[in-house]
Amino acid sequence: DQQVKQNSPSLSVQEGRISILNCDYTNSMFDYFLWYKKYPAEGPTFLISISSIKDKNEDGRFTVFLNKSAKHLSLHIVPSQPGDSAVYFCAAPRRTANAGGTSYGKLTFGQGTILTVHP
Amino acid sequence: EPEVTQTPSHQVTQMGQEVILRCVPISNHLYFYWYRQILGQKVEFLVSFYNNEISEKSEIFDDQFSVERPDGSNFTLKIRSTKLEDSAMYFCASCRTWGTNEQYFGPGTRLTVT
């Protein structure tokens, strides 16, 4: 299942610099995207999301950009901190339409990118 | 802050044995999920559960798998006859409503089948 792809397995960044993590998707039905962060021996932690009606969503040091025409999203972390070192996953929920409106179900994850922020 | 909990953190079992993985979702959440991650691979969806029934399941979730919400707090995943390839991290997740999809994950159970 390659509907969500993170082509960079790892990224190394100096503390204080910008980290840019990329994600591509192939399923044009996806209209909502999430980024999760995962530390070793822990479960994924929700970080930030974006709906396809937006091209940018910002939360503190974290900004997600969505380019629908390119089917590409990216997560920017500025400034990067050593505590940001983790695996980052992008994910897209499957959208379904029902009597109550649109709802979202299972998440399809990318392979993950290991971010290392050096002091 | 409320969180999803899972027990045990690590389970070792022999091939062919039954295992039950336990999860306590966040208390006011209504939608529950199991995912797994085989070492070096993606996090994969197994099953979603709502209103005491399965909403959706993947092709991985065959007859050897079952889920149950035996009481108001626990959510369990049972594997009836484990295979070597079932060795993975199993994550439980829960979501408050169906309309948003901020699923909150537990810390996972590492299942090792020998």
Side-chain angles (χ1 to χ4, degrees), chain A residues 8-63:
Chain A
S8 299
S10 64
L11 175 68
S12 183
V13 170
Q14 203 70 29
E15 181 179 7
R17 299 290 190 107
I18 184 171
S19 297
I20 300 176
L21 299 118
N22 294 302
C23 179
D24 298 295
Y25 61 97
T26 56
N27 189 339
S28 57
M29 295 297 290
F30 288 148
D31 63 359
Y32 193 87
F33 302 91
L34 305 96
W35 283 94
Y36 282 84
K37 178 170 76 172
K38 185 181 179 304
Y39 293 118
E42 294 185 15
T45 302
F46 169 73
L47 201 54
I48 192 170
S49 61
I50 189 165
S51 163
S52 62
I53 61 173
K54 295 184 173 182
D55 53 19
K56 176 182 172 181
N57 189 27
E58 200 169 347
D59 184 2
R61 296 186 297 115
F62 302 91
T63 303

Side-chain angles (χ1 to χ4, degrees), chain A residues 1-2 4 34 36 38 41-44 46 89 93-94 96 98 102-107 109-111, chain B residues 33 35 37 41-45 48 56 58 89 91 97-108:
Chain A
D1 180 357
Q2 293 290 305
V4 179
L34 305 96
Y36 282 84
K38 185 181 179 304
E42 294 185 15
F46 169 73
F89 294 96
R94 189 173 74 87
T96 56
N98 52 41
T102 296
S103 59
Y104 295 96
K106 71 172 191 179
L107 292 174
F109 283 85
Q111 301 93 320
Chain B
Y33 309 83
Y35 292 83
Q37 185 180 27
Q41 297 187 22
K42 286 186 176 188
V43 177
E44 302 173 288
F45 168 79
S48 59
E56 185 178 3
S58 72
M89 282 291 291
F91 296 106
T97 66
W98 192 250
T100 64
N101 208 231
E102 293 174 12
Q103 294 180 20
Y104 293 86
F105 284 76

Side-chain angles (χ1 to χ4, degrees), chain A residues 76-101:
Chain A
H76 293 211
I77 307 173
V78 181
S80 301
Q81 299 172 353
D84 296 329
S85 298
V87 182
Y88 288 79
F89 294 96
C90 65
R94 189 173 74 87
R95 174 163 58 92
T96 56
N98 52 41

Side-chain angles (χ1 to χ4, degrees), chain B:
Chain B
E1 185 174 321
E3 56 183 21
V4 178
T5 60
Q6 290 185 243
T7 54
S9 56
H10 191 189
Q11 174 90 48
V12 181
T13 189
Q14 288 191 324
M15 196 166 53
Q17 295 296 304
E18 173 183 288
V19 293
I20 297 176
L21 309 183
R22 291 183 166 80
C23 169
V24 178
I26 295 173
S27 62
N28 63 347
H29 284 192
L30 302 175
Y31 300 89
F32 314 112
Y33 309 83
W34 283 101
Y35 292 83
R36 78 173 185 189
Q37 185 180 27
I38 295 171
L39 189 64
Q41 297 187 22
K42 286 186 176 188
V43 177
E44 302 173 288
F45 168 79
L46 292 178
V47 66
S48 59
F49 191 86
Y50 169 68
N51 200 25
N52 281 321
E53 60 183 28
I54 290 173
S55 309
E56 185 178 3
K57 58 184 180 180
S58 72
E59 58 211 24
I60 302 168
F61 194 88
D62 61 21
D63 292 345
Q64 293 301 310
F65 291 86
S66 63
V67 288
E68 196 177 36
R69 188 155 162 82
D71 53 43
S73 59
N74 290 284
F75 179 49
T76 61
L77 174 70
K78 183 195 291 187
I79 309 175
R80 289 189 185 80
S81 178
T82 50
K83 308 185 198 66
L84 294 175
E85 54 265 36
D86 293 328
S87 295
M89 282 291 291
Y90 287 80
F91 296 106
C92 172
S94 68
C95 182
R96 187 170 57 86
T97 66
W98 192 250
T100 64
N101 208 231
E102 293 174 12
Q103 294 180 20
Y104 293 86
F105 284 76
T109 293
R110 178 172 298 284
L111 177 64
T112 302
V113 182
T114 61

Side-chain angles (χ1 to χ4, degrees), chain A residues 20-23 35 63-67 72-76:
Chain A
I20 300 176
L21 299 118
N22 294 302
C23 179
W35 283 94
T63 303
V64 57
F65 295 91
L66 175 63
N67 182 334
H72 176 84
L73 60 154
S74 60
L75 174 68
H76 293 211

